[in-house]
Amino acid sequence: MSAIQLAALARTSEPQSMLRRFLALDALVTGANALAYLAFSGPLGRFLGVGATLLLALGVFLALYTAGVGVLAARRKPPAFGVRAVIEANLAWAAVSLAALALWLTPSTSGAVWTVLQALVVAGFAVLQHMTLRARQSTSA
């Protein structure tokens, strides 16, 4: 993805603002998932073909993760170490989601589609965050 495409997606050409916006979007999407898993673990579990207890536990984890990413997004200049941790966590989440689907989960068709889609979205956030972190580092060098 080119710098022009990134800037259009983030609606700014300033790498610092791009990074904060992609972190904030990550926190927003993750927070929405956390709330849905916490509030509707039973019905969502039945729809997705996974246990309500698993969704509840994921909801708690995602709520905590959302808070951390939100704190980073709120900082005027998120520290590179924290941003790298978010990128690596997002990549790990995507990989573990796909591995779980292949190795031990037996979800419904909707659950399988959801697992793949959310893994792709999370990996996409990791790519966007990585690219904007690199852009920020190259402009400050």
Side-chain angles (χ1 to χ4, degrees), residues 22-137:
F22 290 137
L23 287 168
L25 183 60
D26 187 351
L28 180 70
V29 170
T30 304
N33 272 349
L35 289 175
Y37 292 170
L38 290 169
F40 306 108
S41 59
L44 279 175
R46 286 187 295 279
F47 178 70
L48 299 173
V50 297
T53 305
L54 173 62
L55 287 183
L56 200 57
L58 289 174
V60 170
F61 172 77
L62 291 175
L64 295 172
Y65 183 76
T66 295
V69 177
V71 166
L72 277 176
R75 300 208 39 195
R76 195 173 73 72
K77 185 175 181 187
F81 177 80
V83 175
R84 279 191 216 98
V86 168
I87 292 165
E88 290 173 13
N90 281 343
L91 291 173
W93 178 273
V96 168
S97 294
L98 296 175
L101 183 60
L103 300 174
W104 65 84
L105 289 179
T106 53
S108 64
T109 301
S110 299
V113 169
W114 174 253
T115 301
V116 171
L117 289 177
Q118 64 83 31
L120 291 173
V121 168
V122 172
F125 281 138
V127 169
L128 291 170
Q129 293 156 353
H130 173 74
M131 292 176 73
T132 54
L133 180 63
R134 283 186 43 193
R136 181 182 83 176
Q137 290 170 336

